[in-house]
Amino acid sequence: MVAASSGTKLADFQDIELGGHDLKVNTLDWNCTGDCLASGTPNPALLLHRLQPSGLGRADGLSAAPSQKLSGVATNNFFVVWHPTDPDRLASLDDQGVRIWDARHAKVTMTLPLHNPKKLLYAVWVPNGHDILVTSASNINTLVDVRKEAVIKALPNDIETNQAAISPDGQTVMQGLGNGHVSVCDFPSFRPRTSLPAHMERVVSCKFDPSGSYFLSGSHDSTVTVWDVDTLMPVTTHHNYDAAINDASFSHDSQLVALGGEEQVIKINETMTGELAHEIPCRSLPLALCWNPQHMMLAYSGRDHGTSAYVNVFAP
Protein backbone atom coordinates (compact mmCIF):
# COMPACT_ATOMS: atom_id res chain seq x y z
CA MET A 1 0.00 0.00 0.00
CA VAL A 2 1.61 3.24 -1.16
CA ALA A 3 1.28 6.45 0.83
CA ALA A 4 1.42 10.01 -0.46
CA SER A 5 3.97 12.40 1.00
CA SER A 6 1.40 13.58 3.55
CA GLY A 7 1.10 10.02 4.84
CA THR A 8 -2.36 9.47 3.35
CA LYS A 9 -2.68 6.23 1.41
CA LEU A 10 -3.47 6.73 -2.24
CA ALA A 11 -6.06 3.97 -1.98
CA ASP A 12 -7.95 6.16 0.50
CA PHE A 13 -8.11 9.18 -1.82
CA GLN A 14 -11.45 10.35 -3.19
CA ASP A 15 -12.22 10.79 -6.88
CA ILE A 16 -14.42 13.89 -7.22
CA GLU A 17 -16.15 14.86 -10.46
CA LEU A 18 -16.41 18.56 -11.29
CA GLY A 19 -19.16 19.94 -13.50
CA GLY A 20 -19.62 22.63 -16.11
CA HIS A 21 -18.35 21.25 -19.43
CA ASP A 22 -20.41 19.52 -22.09
CA LEU A 23 -17.65 18.82 -24.62
CA LYS A 24 -14.28 17.13 -24.34
CA VAL A 25 -11.87 18.92 -22.01
CA ASN A 26 -8.63 19.26 -23.95
CA THR A 27 -6.54 21.04 -21.37
CA LEU A 28 -6.12 21.52 -17.61
CA ASP A 29 -3.75 23.48 -15.41
CA TRP A 30 -3.45 24.48 -11.74
CA ASN A 31 -2.28 27.97 -10.82
CA CYS A 32 1.02 28.42 -9.00
CA THR A 33 -0.57 28.54 -5.53
CA GLY A 34 -2.53 25.37 -6.21
CA ASP A 35 -5.93 26.83 -5.30
CA CYS A 36 -7.49 27.19 -8.77
CA LEU A 37 -7.92 24.71 -11.63
CA ALA A 38 -8.53 26.01 -15.17
CA SER A 39 -10.04 23.84 -17.89
CA GLY A 40 -10.79 24.41 -21.56
CA THR A 41 -12.89 22.79 -24.29
CA PRO A 42 -14.02 23.54 -27.86
CA ASN A 43 -16.68 25.71 -26.21
CA PRO A 44 -16.01 29.48 -26.23
CA ALA A 45 -15.34 29.63 -22.48
CA LEU A 46 -12.79 28.64 -19.86
CA LEU A 47 -13.90 27.36 -16.48
CA LEU A 48 -12.19 27.92 -13.14
CA HIS A 49 -12.69 25.70 -10.09
CA ARG A 50 -11.33 27.29 -6.92
CA LEU A 51 -10.43 25.49 -3.72
CA GLN A 52 -12.00 26.89 -0.57
CA PRO A 53 -9.38 28.24 1.85
CA SER A 54 -10.57 25.80 4.50
CA GLY A 55 -10.16 22.86 2.12
CA LEU A 56 -6.77 23.40 0.51
CA GLY A 57 -5.26 20.10 -0.55
CA ARG A 58 -8.45 18.14 0.11
CA ALA A 59 -11.27 16.89 -2.05
CA ASP A 60 -13.87 18.53 0.18
CA GLY A 61 -12.37 21.93 -0.68
CA LEU A 62 -13.83 21.71 -4.18
CA SER A 63 -17.36 22.41 -5.32
CA ALA A 64 -18.78 20.45 -8.23
CA ALA A 65 -19.97 23.68 -9.86
CA PRO A 66 -17.34 25.95 -11.45
CA SER A 67 -16.41 29.01 -9.40
CA GLN A 68 -15.94 31.24 -12.43
CA LYS A 69 -16.45 31.31 -16.19
CA LEU A 70 -14.14 33.24 -18.49
CA SER A 71 -16.28 34.07 -21.50
CA GLY A 72 -15.64 35.77 -24.79
CA VAL A 73 -12.95 33.53 -26.23
CA ALA A 74 -12.86 32.09 -29.72
CA THR A 75 -14.43 28.85 -30.89
CA ASN A 76 -11.76 26.46 -29.62
CA ASN A 77 -9.57 26.39 -26.54
CA PHE A 78 -6.53 24.28 -27.33
CA PHE A 79 -4.38 24.87 -24.25
CA VAL A 80 -4.33 26.78 -20.97
CA VAL A 81 -1.32 27.51 -18.77
CA TRP A 82 -1.05 29.65 -15.66
CA HIS A 83 1.69 32.21 -15.04
CA PRO A 84 4.62 30.74 -13.06
CA THR A 85 4.34 33.23 -10.16
CA ASP A 86 1.08 35.19 -10.55
CA PRO A 87 -1.90 33.09 -9.38
CA ASP A 88 -4.40 35.32 -11.21
CA ARG A 89 -2.73 35.44 -14.63
CA LEU A 90 -3.62 32.83 -17.24
CA ALA A 91 -2.64 32.27 -20.87
CA SER A 92 -4.87 30.43 -23.34
CA LEU A 93 -4.46 29.30 -26.95
CA ASP A 94 -7.43 29.34 -29.27
CA ASP A 95 -8.12 29.52 -32.99
CA GLN A 96 -7.31 33.24 -33.02
CA GLY A 97 -3.98 33.19 -31.18
CA VAL A 98 -2.74 33.80 -27.63
CA ARG A 99 -4.82 35.47 -24.92
CA ILE A 100 -3.70 36.63 -21.49
CA TRP A 101 -6.36 36.72 -18.78
CA ASP A 102 -6.77 38.54 -15.52
CA ALA A 103 -8.69 35.75 -13.78
CA ARG A 104 -9.49 37.90 -10.76
CA HIS A 105 -11.55 40.27 -12.92
CA ALA A 106 -12.46 37.69 -15.61
CA LYS A 107 -11.17 39.79 -18.48
CA VAL A 108 -8.70 39.51 -21.34
CA THR A 109 -5.70 41.82 -20.99
CA MET A 110 -3.92 40.84 -24.22
CA THR A 111 -4.81 39.17 -27.50
CA LEU A 112 -2.06 38.42 -29.99
CA PRO A 113 -3.04 36.76 -33.29
CA LEU A 114 -0.61 34.10 -34.46
CA HIS A 115 -0.85 33.28 -38.13
CA ASN A 116 -0.19 29.54 -38.36
CA PRO A 117 -1.55 27.22 -41.03
CA LYS A 118 -2.70 24.78 -38.34
CA LYS A 119 -3.90 24.99 -34.76
CA LEU A 120 -1.81 25.98 -31.76
CA LEU A 121 -1.02 22.93 -29.64
CA TYR A 122 1.09 23.78 -26.60
CA ALA A 123 2.31 26.75 -24.59
CA VAL A 124 4.78 27.15 -21.76
CA TRP A 125 5.70 30.28 -19.84
CA VAL A 126 9.36 31.20 -19.71
CA PRO A 127 10.38 31.22 -16.01
CA ASN A 128 10.94 35.01 -16.16
CA GLY A 129 7.15 35.35 -16.49
CA HIS A 130 7.49 37.79 -19.41
CA ASP A 131 7.51 35.46 -22.42
CA ILE A 132 5.57 32.44 -23.68
CA LEU A 133 6.75 29.71 -26.04
CA VAL A 134 3.96 28.43 -28.31
CA THR A 135 4.13 25.29 -30.47
CA SER A 136 1.76 24.83 -33.41
CA ALA A 137 0.63 21.80 -35.40
CA SER A 138 2.50 23.32 -38.35
CA ASN A 139 5.74 22.62 -36.42
CA ILE A 140 6.53 26.25 -35.66
CA ASN A 141 7.88 27.39 -32.29
CA THR A 142 6.87 30.99 -31.61
CA LEU A 143 8.32 33.02 -28.74
CA VAL A 144 5.95 35.76 -27.59
CA ASP A 145 6.88 38.80 -25.50
CA VAL A 146 3.79 39.40 -23.37
CA ARG A 147 4.87 42.86 -22.17
CA LYS A 148 5.43 44.16 -25.70
CA GLU A 149 2.54 42.10 -27.12
CA ALA A 150 4.81 41.02 -29.96
CA VAL A 151 6.41 37.95 -31.49
CA ILE A 152 10.12 37.78 -30.66
CA LYS A 153 10.89 34.97 -33.08
CA ALA A 154 9.16 32.22 -35.04
CA LEU A 155 11.20 29.10 -35.74
CA PRO A 156 9.89 26.60 -38.31
CA ASN A 157 11.01 22.99 -38.00
CA ASP A 158 11.30 20.29 -40.64
CA ILE A 159 10.19 17.61 -38.19
CA GLU A 160 7.06 17.17 -36.06
CA THR A 161 7.42 19.22 -32.87
CA ASN A 162 5.33 18.58 -29.77
CA GLN A 163 5.30 19.72 -26.16
CA ALA A 164 8.28 21.77 -24.99
CA ALA A 165 9.56 22.37 -21.47
CA ILE A 166 11.87 25.14 -20.29
CA SER A 167 14.24 24.56 -17.39
CA PRO A 168 13.65 26.54 -14.16
CA ASP A 169 16.81 28.57 -14.80
CA GLY A 170 15.51 29.53 -18.26
CA GLN A 171 18.63 28.31 -20.06
CA THR A 172 17.48 25.04 -21.63
CA VAL A 173 14.48 23.96 -23.69
CA MET A 174 13.56 20.30 -24.15
CA GLN A 175 11.03 19.34 -26.82
CA GLY A 176 9.39 16.08 -27.89
CA LEU A 177 9.73 15.21 -31.57
CA GLY A 178 7.80 13.07 -33.99
CA ASN A 179 10.79 10.79 -34.63
CA GLY A 180 10.92 9.62 -31.01
CA HIS A 181 13.74 11.96 -30.01
CA VAL A 182 13.89 14.75 -27.44
CA SER A 183 15.70 17.83 -28.69
CA VAL A 184 17.87 19.71 -26.19
CA CYS A 185 18.64 23.33 -27.08
CA ASP A 186 20.00 26.47 -25.47
CA PHE A 187 17.28 28.95 -24.64
CA PRO A 188 16.30 31.46 -25.92
CA SER A 189 18.68 31.06 -28.87
CA PHE A 190 17.46 27.53 -29.69
CA ARG A 191 21.03 26.58 -30.51
CA PRO A 192 21.00 22.75 -30.65
CA ARG A 193 22.98 20.89 -28.01
CA THR A 194 21.92 17.32 -28.72
CA SER A 195 19.01 15.11 -29.74
CA LEU A 196 18.24 12.25 -27.39
CA PRO A 197 17.02 8.99 -29.02
CA ALA A 198 14.39 8.57 -26.33
CA HIS A 199 11.55 6.45 -27.74
CA MET A 200 10.42 4.23 -30.59
CA GLU A 201 7.49 6.51 -31.54
CA ARG A 202 6.60 10.21 -31.33
CA VAL A 203 7.22 12.04 -28.04
CA VAL A 204 4.15 14.06 -27.07
CA SER A 205 4.80 14.96 -23.42
CA CYS A 206 7.89 16.71 -22.06
CA LYS A 207 8.05 18.25 -18.55
CA PHE A 208 10.54 19.20 -15.84
CA ASP A 209 9.99 18.08 -12.29
CA PRO A 210 9.48 20.85 -9.68
CA SER A 211 13.11 20.67 -8.52
CA GLY A 212 14.50 21.06 -12.04
CA SER A 213 16.73 18.01 -11.51
CA TYR A 214 14.77 15.69 -13.79
CA PHE A 215 12.52 15.82 -16.82
CA LEU A 216 10.20 13.27 -18.38
CA SER A 217 9.35 12.28 -21.92
CA GLY A 218 6.09 10.48 -22.72
CA SER A 219 5.58 8.68 -26.00
CA HIS A 220 3.06 6.91 -28.18
CA ASP A 221 5.27 3.82 -27.70
CA SER A 222 3.45 3.53 -24.32
CA THR A 223 6.48 4.43 -22.19
CA VAL A 224 7.53 7.39 -20.06
CA THR A 225 11.23 7.97 -19.38
CA VAL A 226 12.60 10.06 -16.52
CA TRP A 227 15.93 11.75 -17.32
CA ASP A 228 18.69 13.33 -15.25
CA VAL A 229 19.04 16.97 -16.34
CA ASP A 230 22.78 17.20 -15.67
CA THR A 231 23.88 13.99 -17.37
CA LEU A 232 21.03 13.71 -19.92
CA MET A 233 20.95 10.02 -19.07
CA PRO A 234 17.76 8.04 -18.38
CA VAL A 235 17.06 7.34 -14.71
CA THR A 236 14.17 4.96 -15.26
CA THR A 237 11.61 4.06 -17.89
CA HIS A 238 7.98 3.41 -16.96
CA HIS A 239 6.79 0.40 -18.96
CA ASN A 240 3.50 -0.47 -17.29
CA TYR A 241 1.07 1.52 -19.47
CA ASP A 242 -0.51 -0.65 -22.16
CA ALA A 243 -1.30 1.98 -24.80
CA ALA A 244 -0.01 5.22 -26.31
CA ILE A 245 0.83 7.92 -23.75
CA ASN A 246 -0.89 11.27 -24.33
CA ASP A 247 0.10 13.04 -21.11
CA ALA A 248 2.31 12.55 -18.04
CA SER A 249 2.93 14.69 -14.98
CA PHE A 250 5.19 14.89 -11.90
CA SER A 251 3.64 15.30 -8.45
CA HIS A 252 4.53 18.44 -6.48
CA ASP A 253 7.17 16.55 -4.45
CA SER A 254 8.55 14.73 -7.54
CA GLN A 255 7.92 11.36 -5.89
CA LEU A 256 5.17 10.23 -8.28
CA VAL A 257 4.47 10.32 -12.01
CA ALA A 258 0.95 10.05 -13.43
CA LEU A 259 0.48 8.47 -16.88
CA GLY A 260 -2.58 8.81 -19.12
CA GLY A 261 -3.39 7.98 -22.72
CA GLU A 262 -5.21 5.53 -24.97
CA GLU A 263 -6.29 3.27 -22.12
CA GLN A 264 -9.22 3.75 -19.75
CA VAL A 265 -6.99 4.10 -16.71
CA ILE A 266 -4.51 6.52 -15.17
CA LYS A 267 -1.48 4.88 -13.61
CA ILE A 268 0.44 6.56 -10.80
CA ASN A 269 4.00 5.25 -10.51
CA GLU A 270 6.90 5.86 -8.19
CA THR A 271 9.18 8.23 -10.08
CA MET A 272 12.55 6.59 -9.51
CA THR A 273 11.55 2.94 -9.69
CA GLY A 274 8.66 2.95 -12.15
CA GLU A 275 6.71 0.71 -9.78
CA LEU A 276 2.93 1.06 -9.76
CA ALA A 277 1.64 3.04 -6.77
CA HIS A 278 -2.03 3.26 -7.70
CA GLU A 279 -4.49 3.01 -10.59
CA ILE A 280 -7.46 5.28 -11.27
CA PRO A 281 -10.03 3.61 -13.52
CA CYS A 282 -11.59 6.03 -16.02
CA ARG A 283 -14.95 5.65 -17.74
CA SER A 284 -13.36 6.79 -21.01
CA LEU A 285 -9.92 7.67 -22.33
CA PRO A 286 -8.21 10.38 -20.24
CA LEU A 287 -7.33 13.42 -22.35
CA ALA A 288 -5.29 15.60 -19.98
CA LEU A 289 -3.88 15.34 -16.47
CA CYS A 290 -2.10 17.69 -14.12
CA TRP A 291 -0.75 17.38 -10.57
CA ASN A 292 -1.36 20.27 -8.19
CA PRO A 293 1.91 22.21 -7.62
CA GLN A 294 1.36 22.50 -3.86
CA HIS A 295 -0.76 19.53 -2.78
CA MET A 296 -1.16 15.83 -3.48
CA MET A 297 -4.08 16.33 -5.86
CA LEU A 298 -4.34 15.09 -9.44
CA ALA A 299 -6.77 16.66 -11.92
CA TYR A 300 -7.70 14.75 -15.06
CA SER A 301 -10.22 15.05 -17.87
CA GLY A 302 -11.93 12.84 -20.40
CA ARG A 303 -14.87 12.47 -22.72
CA ASP A 304 -17.70 9.99 -22.41
CA HIS A 305 -19.12 8.18 -25.41
CA GLY A 306 -21.00 10.88 -27.27
CA THR A 307 -20.41 14.50 -26.37
CA SER A 308 -20.48 14.70 -22.57
CA ALA A 309 -17.22 15.45 -20.78
CA TYR A 310 -15.84 15.20 -17.28
CA VAL A 311 -13.15 16.71 -15.10
CA ASN A 312 -12.15 14.82 -11.97
CA VAL A 313 -9.84 15.54 -9.06
CA PHE A 314 -8.16 12.69 -7.18
CA ALA A 315 -7.34 13.95 -3.69
CA PRO A 316 -7.32 13.06 0.05
Side-chain angles (χ1 to χ4, degrees):
M1 189 71 68
V2 177
S5 58
S6 63
T8 306
K9 295 177 181 178
L10 292 176
D12 294 335
F13 278 30
Q14 301 178 64
D15 197 14
I16 306 298
E17 183 171 348
L18 308 179
H21 287 306
D22 57 3
L23 294 173
K24 67 177 182 178
V25 180
N26 305 309
T27 178
L28 297 167
D29 198 32
W30 292 97
N31 68 352
C32 61
T33 50
D35 60 6
C36 187
L37 176 69
S39 55
T41 76
N43 273 345
L46 302 173
L47 296 186
L48 304 183
H49 284 88
R50 294 189 182 275
L51 283 167
Q52 300 300 319
S54 60
L56 291 178
R58 302 197 312 273
D60 60 11
L62 281 165
S63 170
S67 309
Q68 200 172 1
K69 183 177 181 178
L70 306 182
S71 302
V73 301
T75 306
N76 291 300
N77 291 290
F78 303 129
F79 204 77
V80 294
V81 59
W82 288 94
H83 190 275
T85 58
D86 186 340
D88 294 311
R89 202 174 193 195
L90 176 70
S92 67
L93 304 182
D94 56 50
D95 52 9
Q96 293 186 5
V98 182
R99 298 175 193 264
I100 306 298
W101 294 84
D102 176 350
R104 182 174 46 187
H105 297 103
K107 66 178 183 179
V108 174
T109 60
M110 187 202 85
T111 301
L112 181 65
L114 293 182
H115 302 290
N116 283 288
K118 298 181 181 179
K119 70 179 183 180
L120 308 177
L121 293 180
Y122 303 102
V124 58
W125 283 91
V126 179
N128 63 18
H130 305 316
D131 307 322
I132 297 175
L133 178 63
V134 177
T135 301
S136 74
S138 48
N139 304 320
I140 298 173
N141 285 321
T142 303
L143 189 60
V144 173
D145 186 323
V146 174
R147 295 172 300 176
K148 296 180 180 179
E149 300 187 14
V151 171
I152 299 173
K153 62 176 69 175
L155 302 171
N157 296 276
D158 57 7
I159 191 170
E160 177 187 314
T161 52
N162 295 309
Q163 188 173 45
I166 300 173
S167 60
D169 63 8
Q171 297 183 10
T172 304
V173 58
M174 315 285 196
Q175 187 161 37
L177 302 178
N179 62 0
H181 285 221
V182 174
S183 69
V184 184
C185 298
D186 291 339
F187 189 82
S189 68
F190 277 87
R191 182 179 66 84
R193 292 187 198 168
T194 189
S195 182
L196 303 174
H199 297 272
M200 299 298 293
E201 295 186 36
R202 62 167 49 96
V203 179
V204 295
S205 184
C206 194
K207 295 174 184 174
F208 281 90
D209 85 313
S211 73
S213 300
Y214 304 97
F215 70 94
L216 64 76
S217 56
S219 170
H220 280 187
D221 69 4
S222 80
T223 66
V224 170
T225 298
V226 176
W227 302 79
D228 183 284
V229 168
D230 293 330
T231 65
L232 296 181
M233 296 295 292
V235 175
T236 188
T237 297
H238 299 242
H239 292 284
N240 62 346
Y241 207 78
D242 297 327
I245 297 290
N246 288 333
D247 205 358
S249 178
F250 284 108
S251 61
H252 75 287
D253 59 2
S254 305
Q255 297 302 303
L256 300 172
V257 173
L259 289 63
E262 300 297 310
E263 185 181 5
Q264 287 185 219
V265 67
I266 292 170
K267 294 187 177 180
I268 300 176
N269 294 340
E270 297 181 18
T271 299
M272 293 305 172
T273 66
E275 294 183 5
L276 181 67
H278 190 74
E279 288 188 358
I280 306 173
C282 303
R283 63 175 186 254
S284 64
L285 300 179
L287 296 175
L289 51 86
C290 183
W291 283 103
N292 188 295
Q294 302 292 335
H295 311 290
M296 193 58 70
M297 307 176 75
L298 177 69
Y300 66 94
S301 69
R303 179 179 60 181
D304 288 333
H305 301 294
T307 59
S308 61
Y310 63 87
V311 175
N312 283 38
V313 173
F314 180 71

